[in-house]
Amino acid sequence: MQIKVSARHGHLSEEHQDQIRQKVDKLLHYFDRITMIEVTVDLADKLHRKVEILVDAEHKHDFVAKDEAEDLMVAVDLTVDRIKHQIHKYKEKVQARR
């Protein structure tokens, strides 16, 4: 699985990149068919940090979540929670068909 972390309108420190990678790496516990995770952080607005996560999984369209907050890691947590909810909803849907 690949994890790509990128920033728009600024630069993320290595420490922040590592923290983001650790948080999104936990998504594998919820869905093991994930092939790639792309995290994009928008640093244009000083008051609100915008985070977008794209998760590419086998046999499924991408999961996409966006959120924003004043603190970068809070925005990452909110976005990861949205992705977890989408994955959980998808797994329930698939299991209900059987």
Side-chain angles (χ1 to χ4, degrees):
M1 179 189 72
Q2 291 181 331
I3 299 175
K4 293 183 182 179
V5 179
S6 61
R8 286 187 204 137
H9 308 291
H11 179 72
L12 287 174
S13 66
E14 288 297 322
E15 179 183 333
H16 278 124
Q17 289 183 17
D18 290 340
Q19 289 176 349
I20 291 171
R21 281 190 184 96
Q22 289 174 359
K23 288 182 185 275
V24 298
D25 192 39
K26 293 178 183 177
L27 291 174
L28 278 177
H29 296 292
Y30 297 96
F31 195 61
D32 57 351
R33 292 186 176 183
I34 294 175
T35 57
M36 187 169 69
I37 300 174
E38 291 183 54
V39 181
T40 306
V41 179
D42 191 354
L43 303 171
D45 188 3
K46 299 287 184 190
L47 298 176
H48 288 59
R49 305 296 185 189
K50 297 178 183 176
V51 177
E52 178 182 22
I53 298 178
L54 300 169
V55 177
D56 187 27
E58 292 178 10
H59 309 296
K60 169 67 179 113
H61 298 293
D62 294 343
F63 298 105
V64 179
K66 298 178 186 179
D67 216 322
E68 63 182 64
E70 291 181 16
D71 184 43
L72 174 63
M73 297 317 290
V74 172
V76 171
D77 288 338
L78 291 171
T79 313
V80 168
D81 286 342
R82 288 180 186 266
I83 289 287
K84 286 180 190 175
H85 178 71
Q86 289 179 23
I87 290 172
H88 182 69
K89 189 174 177 181
Y90 172 72
K91 286 177 72 173
E92 281 184 348
K93 182 179 172 183
V94 169
Q95 290 173 353
R97 289 183 188 166
R98 294 179 185 179

